[in-house]
Amino acid sequence: VLRDPDGEPIRFVGTSVDITDLKRAEEEKRVATERLELATQLSDVQVWSFDLVEGQIDSARASFINVWESIGYDVPREPLDFASSMGVFILPEDQPGVMQAVRACLRGETPRFETEYRIRHKDGSIHWSLTRGIARRNSSGVPVQFLGTSVDITALKQALEDSRKIKERLELAVLGSKACTWD
């Protein structure tokens, strides 16, 4: 507002900018994000990431898509740190192996993180998870983000166990039939 010597407004000066393209892009991003989250939920894949502080995982802040829901929990209202989120559902006896694989990836000893471990669902059932991830690094090589996916492989583990049992039975049957033949 421009004013005269008495302080009375005499002119209004301003600018305006057309932000239609910006608003359209924001809406397209929102729709794409919703589609991605829906596709993730329908595929039973869990997506996770941890923003690291000074390259450390222990107090890293977590972001999850379809992680809590897939194991029967409501999504926490507050972000959790790595240790808290891991402690909720990974069985205690599997946590040291998971941590060893995480730290090896963050130290650059392995190009990517991959491990299998057991998860306790909210209903108490135990499921197997295959988890893969990578460490994103800054220009100095310090890890700044740890991100990846997890998928439930319980049915695969059960099929492998069933196959192993069938093989054992067949081997016993073959040995039993040979024993009868030799007599």
Side-chain angles (χ1 to χ4, degrees):
V1 175
L2 296 176
R3 301 181 185 274
D4 66 17
D6 295 329
E8 294 296 318
I10 57 172
R11 190 178 310 168
F12 178 79
V13 179
T15 62
S16 65
V17 177
D18 183 356
I19 60 169
T20 304
D21 289 341
L22 175 63
K23 290 298 183 182
R24 187 177 299 119
E26 287 174 351
E27 179 61 13
E28 288 172 3
K29 180 182 175 185
R30 184 191 66 75
V31 169
T33 300
E34 284 179 1
R35 286 181 183 155
L36 178 60
E37 288 183 8
L38 178 60
T40 301
Q41 291 170 355
L42 293 173
S43 69
D44 289 330
V45 171
Q46 300 91 43
V47 178
W48 47 266
S49 68
F50 294 93
D51 293 325
L52 308 179
V53 178
E54 297 178 10
Q56 300 301 309
I57 190 74
D58 299 321
S59 59
R61 299 304 267 175
S63 297
F64 298 116
I65 298 173
N66 199 39
V67 171
W68 297 104
E69 304 91 330
S70 69
I71 58 174
Y73 289 92
D74 293 330
V75 177
R77 291 188 182 151
E78 297 178 13
L80 295 175
D81 60 49
F82 178 80
S84 298
S85 58
M86 190 170 91
V88 170
F89 51 85
I90 298 176
L91 295 186
E93 55 270 31
D94 291 353
Q95 290 178 18
V98 172
M99 284 308 301
Q100 180 179 359
V102 168
R103 292 192 192 290
C105 181
L106 294 178
R107 287 190 301 261
E109 296 168 8
T110 59
R112 57 185 252 178
F113 166 76
E114 183 170 327
T115 190
E116 296 176 6
Y117 53 86
R118 293 166 297 162
I119 292 177
R120 182 177 311 281
H121 282 229
K122 186 177 181 181
D123 67 7
S125 63
I126 304 297
H127 290 246
W128 279 94
S129 180
L130 169 62
T131 299
R132 294 179 172 138
I134 60 168
R136 288 187 37 203
R137 299 174 186 283
N138 65 17
S139 59
S140 301
V142 176
V144 294
Q145 190 177 41
F146 184 56
L147 62 153
T149 60
S150 300
V151 65
D152 188 316
I153 59 168
T154 305
L156 175 62
K157 287 284 197 179
Q158 186 60 52
L160 289 171
E161 179 61 18
D162 292 348
S163 176
R164 185 191 64 75
K165 287 178 182 177
I166 290 169
K167 181 182 176 202
E168 284 178 4
R169 288 184 193 137
L170 286 172
E171 288 172 350
L172 286 173
V174 168
L175 287 175
S177 68
K178 285 183 181 179
C180 292
T181 307
W182 292 103
D183 287 341

PDB file of all heavy atoms in Angstrom, residues 120-150:
ATOM      1  N   ARG A 120       6.488 -61.753  14.839  1.00  0.00           N
ATOM      2  CA  ARG A 120       5.288 -62.106  15.603  1.00  0.00           C
ATOM      3  C   ARG A 120       4.180 -61.128  15.220  1.00  0.00           C
ATOM      4  O   ARG A 120       4.296 -59.930  15.439  1.00  0.00           O
ATOM      5  CB  ARG A 120       5.525 -62.039  17.109  1.00  0.00           C
ATOM      6  CG  ARG A 120       4.292 -62.441  17.919  1.00  0.00           C
ATOM      7  CD  ARG A 120       4.545 -62.445  19.415  1.00  0.00           C
ATOM      8  NE  ARG A 120       5.753 -63.161  19.795  1.00  0.00           N
ATOM      9  CZ  ARG A 120       5.855 -64.497  19.891  1.00  0.00           C
ATOM     10  NH1 ARG A 120       4.841 -65.255  19.613  1.00  0.00           N
ATOM     11  NH2 ARG A 120       6.994 -65.046  20.268  1.00  0.00           N
ATOM     12  N   HIS A 121       3.117 -61.659  14.617  1.00  0.00           N
ATOM     13  CA  HIS A 121       1.963 -60.826  14.290  1.00  0.00           C
ATOM     14  C   HIS A 121       1.201 -60.481  15.562  1.00  0.00           C
ATOM     15  O   HIS A 121       1.377 -61.117  16.598  1.00  0.00           O
ATOM     16  CB  HIS A 121       1.036 -61.568  13.327  1.00  0.00           C
ATOM     17  CG  HIS A 121       1.530 -61.544  11.916  1.00  0.00           C
ATOM     18  ND1 HIS A 121       0.729 -61.206  10.868  1.00  0.00           N
ATOM     19  CD2 HIS A 121       2.752 -61.814  11.372  1.00  0.00           C
ATOM     20  CE1 HIS A 121       1.416 -61.268   9.744  1.00  0.00           C
ATOM     21  NE2 HIS A 121       2.653 -61.636  10.029  1.00  0.00           N
ATOM     22  N   LYS A 122       0.357 -59.491  15.483  1.00  0.00           N
ATOM     23  CA  LYS A 122      -0.421 -59.055  16.640  1.00  0.00           C
ATOM     24  C   LYS A 122      -1.255 -60.196  17.209  1.00  0.00           C
ATOM     25  O   LYS A 122      -1.434 -60.304  18.413  1.00  0.00           O
ATOM     26  CB  LYS A 122      -1.326 -57.881  16.262  1.00  0.00           C
ATOM     27  CG  LYS A 122      -2.051 -57.287  17.449  1.00  0.00           C
ATOM     28  CD  LYS A 122      -2.871 -56.078  17.057  1.00  0.00           C
ATOM     29  CE  LYS A 122      -3.567 -55.508  18.280  1.00  0.00           C
ATOM     30  NZ  LYS A 122      -4.393 -54.350  17.917  1.00  0.00           N
ATOM     31  N   ASP A 123      -1.738 -61.098  16.329  1.00  0.00           N
ATOM     32  CA  ASP A 123      -2.551 -62.233  16.791  1.00  0.00           C
ATOM     33  C   ASP A 123      -1.704 -63.340  17.426  1.00  0.00           C
ATOM     34  O   ASP A 123      -2.230 -64.363  17.835  1.00  0.00           O
ATOM     35  CB  ASP A 123      -3.408 -62.786  15.654  1.00  0.00           C
ATOM     36  CG  ASP A 123      -2.593 -63.443  14.543  1.00  0.00           C
ATOM     37  OD1 ASP A 123      -1.349 -63.602  14.677  1.00  0.00           O
ATOM     38  OD2 ASP A 123      -3.198 -63.795  13.510  1.00  0.00           O
ATOM     39  N   GLY A 124      -0.388 -63.157  17.501  1.00  0.00           N
ATOM     40  CA  GLY A 124       0.503 -64.129  18.121  1.00  0.00           C
ATOM     41  C   GLY A 124       1.126 -65.105  17.149  1.00  0.00           C
ATOM     42  O   GLY A 124       2.057 -65.834  17.505  1.00  0.00           O
ATOM     43  N   SER A 125       0.637 -65.174  15.922  1.00  0.00           N
ATOM     44  CA  SER A 125       1.200 -66.108  14.949  1.00  0.00           C
ATOM     45  C   SER A 125       2.597 -65.654  14.532  1.00  0.00           C
ATOM     46  O   SER A 125       2.917 -64.473  14.561  1.00  0.00           O
ATOM     47  CB  SER A 125       0.278 -66.237  13.729  1.00  0.00           C
ATOM     48  OG  SER A 125       0.157 -64.996  13.049  1.00  0.00           O
ATOM     49  N   ILE A 126       3.397 -66.627  14.150  1.00  0.00           N
ATOM     50  CA  ILE A 126       4.776 -66.368  13.724  1.00  0.00           C
ATOM     51  C   ILE A 126       4.839 -66.513  12.203  1.00  0.00           C
ATOM     52  O   ILE A 126       4.373 -67.504  11.647  1.00  0.00           O
ATOM     53  CB  ILE A 126       5.760 -67.352  14.384  1.00  0.00           C
ATOM     54  CG1 ILE A 126       5.644 -67.313  15.906  1.00  0.00           C
ATOM     55  CG2 ILE A 126       7.189 -67.076  13.923  1.00  0.00           C
ATOM     56  CD1 ILE A 126       5.996 -66.001  16.532  1.00  0.00           C
ATOM     57  N   HIS A 127       5.425 -65.531  11.559  1.00  0.00           N
ATOM     58  CA  HIS A 127       5.595 -65.534  10.106  1.00  0.00           C
ATOM     59  C   HIS A 127       7.059 -65.269   9.782  1.00  0.00           C
ATOM     60  O   HIS A 127       7.780 -64.664  10.565  1.00  0.00           O
ATOM     61  CB  HIS A 127       4.733 -64.443   9.454  1.00  0.00           C
ATOM     62  CG  HIS A 127       3.274 -64.724   9.509  1.00  0.00           C
ATOM     63  ND1 HIS A 127       2.527 -64.956   8.394  1.00  0.00           N
ATOM     64  CD2 HIS A 127       2.417 -64.812  10.555  1.00  0.00           C
ATOM     65  CE1 HIS A 127       1.275 -65.172   8.733  1.00  0.00           C
ATOM     66  NE2 HIS A 127       1.188 -65.085  10.047  1.00  0.00           N
ATOM     67  N   TRP A 128       7.469 -65.724   8.606  1.00  0.00           N
ATOM     68  CA  TRP A 128       8.819 -65.469   8.111  1.00  0.00           C
ATOM     69  C   TRP A 128       8.804 -64.268   7.178  1.00  0.00           C
ATOM     70  O   TRP A 128       7.872 -64.109   6.382  1.00  0.00           O
ATOM     71  CB  TRP A 128       9.345 -66.684   7.348  1.00  0.00           C
ATOM     72  CG  TRP A 128       9.875 -67.745   8.245  1.00  0.00           C
ATOM     73  CD1 TRP A 128       9.190 -68.824   8.728  1.00  0.00           C
ATOM     74  CD2 TRP A 128      11.193 -67.839   8.763  1.00  0.00           C
ATOM     75  NE1 TRP A 128      10.010 -69.583   9.524  1.00  0.00           N
ATOM     76  CE2 TRP A 128      11.253 -69.003   9.562  1.00  0.00           C
ATOM     77  CE3 TRP A 128      12.342 -67.061   8.638  1.00  0.00           C
ATOM     78  CZ2 TRP A 128      12.405 -69.397  10.217  1.00  0.00           C
ATOM     79  CZ3 TRP A 128      13.492 -67.461   9.294  1.00  0.00           C
ATOM     80  CH2 TRP A 128      13.522 -68.613  10.078  1.00  0.00           C
ATOM     81  N   SER A 129       9.829 -63.455   7.255  1.00  0.00           N
ATOM     82  CA  SER A 129       9.966 -62.284   6.392  1.00  0.00           C
ATOM     83  C   SER A 129      11.308 -62.333   5.674  1.00  0.00           C
ATOM     84  O   SER A 129      12.333 -62.660   6.280  1.00  0.00           O
ATOM     85  CB  SER A 129       9.890 -61.012   7.234  1.00  0.00           C
ATOM     86  OG  SER A 129      10.014 -59.875   6.421  1.00  0.00           O
ATOM     87  N   LEU A 130      11.283 -62.022   4.378  1.00  0.00           N
ATOM     88  CA  LEU A 130      12.504 -61.809   3.606  1.00  0.00           C
ATOM     89  C   LEU A 130      12.630 -60.308   3.418  1.00  0.00           C
ATOM     90  O   LEU A 130      11.718 -59.667   2.891  1.00  0.00           O
ATOM     91  CB  LEU A 130      12.434 -62.498   2.238  1.00  0.00           C
ATOM     92  CG  LEU A 130      13.550 -62.132   1.249  1.00  0.00           C
ATOM     93  CD1 LEU A 130      14.920 -62.541   1.783  1.00  0.00           C
ATOM     94  CD2 LEU A 130      13.278 -62.772  -0.107  1.00  0.00           C
ATOM     95  N   THR A 131      13.735 -59.747   3.874  1.00  0.00           N
ATOM     96  CA  THR A 131      13.927 -58.303   3.843  1.00  0.00           C
ATOM     97  C   THR A 131      15.199 -57.970   3.079  1.00  0.00           C
ATOM     98  O   THR A 131      16.238 -58.588   3.294  1.00  0.00           O
ATOM     99  CB  THR A 131      14.002 -57.754   5.284  1.00  0.00           C
ATOM    100  OG1 THR A 131      12.766 -58.056   5.936  1.00  0.00           O
ATOM    101  CG2 THR A 131      14.219 -56.273   5.299  1.00  0.00           C
ATOM    102  N   ARG A 132      15.056 -56.997   2.176  1.00  0.00           N
ATOM    103  CA  ARG A 132      16.194 -56.542   1.380  1.00  0.00           C
ATOM    104  C   ARG A 132      16.246 -55.030   1.432  1.00  0.00           C
ATOM    105  O   ARG A 132      15.211 -54.367   1.448  1.00  0.00           O
ATOM    106  CB  ARG A 132      16.028 -56.975  -0.073  1.00  0.00           C
ATOM    107  CG  ARG A 132      16.088 -58.460  -0.265  1.00  0.00           C
ATOM    108  CD  ARG A 132      15.902 -58.822  -1.721  1.00  0.00           C
ATOM    109  NE  ARG A 132      16.140 -60.235  -1.911  1.00  0.00           N
ATOM    110  CZ  ARG A 132      15.387 -61.000  -2.683  1.00  0.00           C
ATOM    111  NH1 ARG A 132      14.381 -60.495  -3.348  1.00  0.00           N
ATOM    112  NH2 ARG A 132      15.672 -62.280  -2.816  1.00  0.00           N
ATOM    113  N   GLY A 133      17.474 -54.495   1.440  1.00  0.00           N
ATOM    114  CA  GLY A 133      17.597 -53.049   1.472  1.00  0.00           C
ATOM    115  C   GLY A 133      18.973 -52.581   1.038  1.00  0.00           C
ATOM    116  O   GLY A 133      19.861 -53.384   0.759  1.00  0.00           O
ATOM    117  N   ILE A 134      19.106 -51.271   0.998  1.00  0.00           N
ATOM    118  CA  ILE A 134      20.375 -50.633   0.649  1.00  0.00           C
ATOM    119  C   ILE A 134      20.599 -49.440   1.561  1.00  0.00           C
ATOM    120  O   ILE A 134      19.662 -48.931   2.175  1.00  0.00           O
ATOM    121  CB  ILE A 134      20.413 -50.162  -0.820  1.00  0.00           C
ATOM    122  CG1 ILE A 134      19.296 -49.135  -1.078  1.00  0.00           C
ATOM    123  CG2 ILE A 134      20.343 -51.324  -1.780  1.00  0.00           C
ATOM    124  CD1 ILE A 134      19.420 -48.402  -2.391  1.00  0.00           C
ATOM    125  N   ALA A 135      21.825 -49.004   1.594  1.00  0.00           N
ATOM    126  CA  ALA A 135      22.170 -47.774   2.310  1.00  0.00           C
ATOM    127  C   ALA A 135      22.445 -46.703   1.264  1.00  0.00           C
ATOM    128  O   ALA A 135      23.294 -46.898   0.394  1.00  0.00           O
ATOM    129  CB  ALA A 135      23.396 -47.994   3.180  1.00  0.00           C
ATOM    130  N   ARG A 136      21.730 -45.599   1.334  1.00  0.00           N
ATOM    131  CA  ARG A 136      22.043 -44.441   0.484  1.00  0.00           C
ATOM    132  C   ARG A 136      23.063 -43.611   1.232  1.00  0.00           C
ATOM    133  O   ARG A 136      22.936 -43.380   2.427  1.00  0.00           O
ATOM    134  CB  ARG A 136      20.787 -43.631   0.195  1.00  0.00           C
ATOM    135  CG  ARG A 136      19.869 -44.350  -0.769  1.00  0.00           C
ATOM    136  CD  ARG A 136      18.688 -43.543  -1.216  1.00  0.00           C
ATOM    137  NE  ARG A 136      19.006 -42.148  -1.386  1.00  0.00           N
ATOM    138  CZ  ARG A 136      18.121 -41.168  -1.349  1.00  0.00           C
ATOM    139  NH1 ARG A 136      16.864 -41.427  -1.145  1.00  0.00           N
ATOM    140  NH2 ARG A 136      18.476 -39.918  -1.511  1.00  0.00           N
ATOM    141  N   ARG A 137      24.061 -43.135   0.507  1.00  0.00           N
ATOM    142  CA  ARG A 137      25.175 -42.422   1.135  1.00  0.00           C
ATOM    143  C   ARG A 137      25.290 -41.008   0.591  1.00  0.00           C
ATOM    144  O   ARG A 137      24.909 -40.741  -0.539  1.00  0.00           O
ATOM    145  CB  ARG A 137      26.472 -43.189   0.888  1.00  0.00           C
ATOM    146  CG  ARG A 137      26.415 -44.590   1.481  1.00  0.00           C
ATOM    147  CD  ARG A 137      27.630 -45.428   1.133  1.00  0.00           C
ATOM    148  NE  ARG A 137      27.448 -46.784   1.611  1.00  0.00           N
ATOM    149  CZ  ARG A 137      27.584 -47.170   2.868  1.00  0.00           C
ATOM    150  NH1 ARG A 137      27.940 -46.299   3.784  1.00  0.00           N
ATOM    151  NH2 ARG A 137      27.374 -48.424   3.222  1.00  0.00           N
ATOM    152  N   ASN A 138      25.861 -40.117   1.409  1.00  0.00           N
ATOM    153  CA  ASN A 138      26.114 -38.760   0.942  1.00  0.00           C
ATOM    154  C   ASN A 138      27.418 -38.744   0.142  1.00  0.00           C
ATOM    155  O   ASN A 138      28.066 -39.783  -0.032  1.00  0.00           O
ATOM    156  CB  ASN A 138      26.118 -37.750   2.101  1.00  0.00           C
ATOM    157  CG  ASN A 138      27.251 -37.978   3.078  1.00  0.00           C
ATOM    158  OD1 ASN A 138      28.236 -38.668   2.801  1.00  0.00           O
ATOM    159  ND2 ASN A 138      27.123 -37.382   4.257  1.00  0.00           N
ATOM    160  N   SER A 139      27.824 -37.584  -0.313  1.00  0.00           N
ATOM    161  CA  SER A 139      29.019 -37.477  -1.157  1.00  0.00           C
ATOM    162  C   SER A 139      30.294 -37.900  -0.428  1.00  0.00           C
ATOM    163  O   SER A 139      31.293 -38.240  -1.054  1.00  0.00           O
ATOM    164  CB  SER A 139      29.168 -36.058  -1.699  1.00  0.00           C
ATOM    165  OG  SER A 139      29.265 -35.138  -0.631  1.00  0.00           O
ATOM    166  N   SER A 140      30.262 -37.918   0.900  1.00  0.00           N
ATOM    167  CA  SER A 140      31.421 -38.349   1.686  1.00  0.00           C
ATOM    168  C   SER A 140      31.401 -39.845   1.967  1.00  0.00           C
ATOM    169  O   SER A 140      32.296 -40.371   2.620  1.00  0.00           O
ATOM    170  CB  SER A 140      31.462 -37.599   3.019  1.00  0.00           C
ATOM    171  OG  SER A 140      31.543 -36.212   2.791  1.00  0.00           O
ATOM    172  N   GLY A 141      30.346 -40.526   1.512  1.00  0.00           N
ATOM    173  CA  GLY A 141      30.244 -41.965   1.733  1.00  0.00           C
ATOM    174  C   GLY A 141      29.564 -42.357   3.026  1.00  0.00           C
ATOM    175  O   GLY A 141      29.458 -43.539   3.339  1.00  0.00           O
ATOM    176  N   VAL A 142      29.080 -41.383   3.795  1.00  0.00           N
ATOM    177  CA  VAL A 142      28.392 -41.671   5.051  1.00  0.00           C
ATOM    178  C   VAL A 142      26.953 -42.058   4.737  1.00  0.00           C
ATOM    179  O   VAL A 142      26.268 -41.360   3.982  1.00  0.00           O
ATOM    180  CB  VAL A 142      28.415 -40.437   5.977  1.00  0.00           C
ATOM    181  CG1 VAL A 142      27.615 -40.684   7.248  1.00  0.00           C
ATOM    182  CG2 VAL A 142      29.846 -40.055   6.312  1.00  0.00           C
ATOM    183  N   PRO A 143      26.463 -43.180   5.306  1.00  0.00           N
ATOM    184  CA  PRO A 143      25.079 -43.552   5.040  1.00  0.00           C
ATOM    185  C   PRO A 143      24.113 -42.526   5.654  1.00  0.00           C
ATOM    186  O   PRO A 143      24.260 -42.154   6.813  1.00  0.00           O
ATOM    187  CB  PRO A 143      24.925 -44.917   5.702  1.00  0.00           C
ATOM    188  CG  PRO A 143      26.085 -45.090   6.594  1.00  0.00           C
ATOM    189  CD  PRO A 143      27.151 -44.137   6.164  1.00  0.00           C
ATOM    190  N   VAL A 144      23.164 -42.075   4.839  1.00  0.00           N
ATOM    191  CA  VAL A 144      22.186 -41.087   5.304  1.00  0.00           C
ATOM    192  C   VAL A 144      20.781 -41.657   5.346  1.00  0.00           C
ATOM    193  O   VAL A 144      19.902 -41.103   5.996  1.00  0.00           O
ATOM    194  CB  VAL A 144      22.206 -39.803   4.440  1.00  0.00           C
ATOM    195  CG1 VAL A 144      23.524 -39.069   4.588  1.00  0.00           C
ATOM    196  CG2 VAL A 144      21.924 -40.116   2.979  1.00  0.00           C
ATOM    197  N   GLN A 145      20.582 -42.783   4.651  1.00  0.00           N
ATOM    198  CA  GLN A 145      19.268 -43.410   4.648  1.00  0.00           C
ATOM    199  C   GLN A 145      19.447 -44.903   4.429  1.00  0.00           C
ATOM    200  O   GLN A 145      20.322 -45.338   3.681  1.00  0.00           O
ATOM    201  CB  GLN A 145      18.391 -42.823   3.547  1.00  0.00           C
ATOM    202  CG  GLN A 145      16.941 -43.252   3.630  1.00  0.00           C
ATOM    203  CD  GLN A 145      16.087 -42.597   2.557  1.00  0.00           C
ATOM    204  OE1 GLN A 145      16.509 -42.481   1.410  1.00  0.00           O
ATOM    205  NE2 GLN A 145      14.898 -42.165   2.935  1.00  0.00           N
ATOM    206  N   PHE A 146      18.639 -45.666   5.135  1.00  0.00           N
ATOM    207  CA  PHE A 146      18.617 -47.124   4.993  1.00  0.00           C
ATOM    208  C   PHE A 146      17.199 -47.470   4.583  1.00  0.00           C
ATOM    209  O   PHE A 146      16.246 -47.157   5.304  1.00  0.00           O
ATOM    210  CB  PHE A 146      18.995 -47.760   6.336  1.00  0.00           C
ATOM    211  CG  PHE A 146      19.098 -49.254   6.298  1.00  0.00           C
ATOM    212  CD1 PHE A 146      19.933 -49.893   5.399  1.00  0.00           C
ATOM    213  CD2 PHE A 146      18.374 -50.019   7.189  1.00  0.00           C
ATOM    214  CE1 PHE A 146      20.045 -51.274   5.379  1.00  0.00           C
ATOM    215  CE2 PHE A 146      18.480 -51.402   7.179  1.00  0.00           C
ATOM    216  CZ  PHE A 146      19.310 -52.026   6.279  1.00  0.00           C
ATOM    217  N   LEU A 147      17.021 -48.056   3.390  1.00  0.00           N
ATOM    218  CA  LEU A 147      15.673 -48.294   2.902  1.00  0.00           C
ATOM    219  C   LEU A 147      15.575 -49.616   2.176  1.00  0.00           C
ATOM    220  O   LEU A 147      16.575 -50.146   1.688  1.00  0.00           O
ATOM    221  CB  LEU A 147      15.222 -47.159   1.986  1.00  0.00           C
ATOM    222  CG  LEU A 147      16.015 -46.924   0.707  1.00  0.00           C
ATOM    223  CD1 LEU A 147      15.100 -46.294  -0.321  1.00  0.00           C
ATOM    224  CD2 LEU A 147      17.179 -46.007   0.977  1.00  0.00           C
ATOM    225  N   GLY A 148      14.343 -50.145   2.126  1.00  0.00           N
ATOM    226  CA  GLY A 148      14.160 -51.414   1.456  1.00  0.00           C
ATOM    227  C   GLY A 148      12.740 -51.916   1.535  1.00  0.00           C
ATOM    228  O   GLY A 148      11.806 -51.166   1.829  1.00  0.00           O
ATOM    229  N   THR A 149      12.613 -53.218   1.286  1.00  0.00           N
ATOM    230  CA  THR A 149      11.308 -53.863   1.277  1.00  0.00           C
ATOM    231  C   THR A 149      11.369 -55.162   2.066  1.00  0.00           C
ATOM    232  O   THR A 149      12.442 -55.748   2.254  1.00  0.00           O
ATOM    233  CB  THR A 149      10.864 -54.194  -0.162  1.00  0.00           C
ATOM    234  OG1 THR A 149      11.815 -55.084  -0.757  1.00  0.00           O
ATOM    235  CG2 THR A 149      10.717 -52.940  -1.003  1.00  0.00           C
ATOM    236  N   SER A 150      10.196 -55.585   2.480  1.00  0.00           N
ATOM    237  CA  SER A 150      10.052 -56.874   3.157  1.00  0.00           C
ATOM    238  C   SER A 150       8.837 -57.573   2.558  1.00  0.00           C
ATOM    239  O   SER A 150       7.892 -56.913   2.132  1.00  0.00           O
ATOM    240  CB  SER A 150       9.832 -56.678   4.663  1.00  0.00           C
ATOM    241  OG  SER A 150      10.913 -56.005   5.249  1.00  0.00           O
TER     242      SER A 150
END
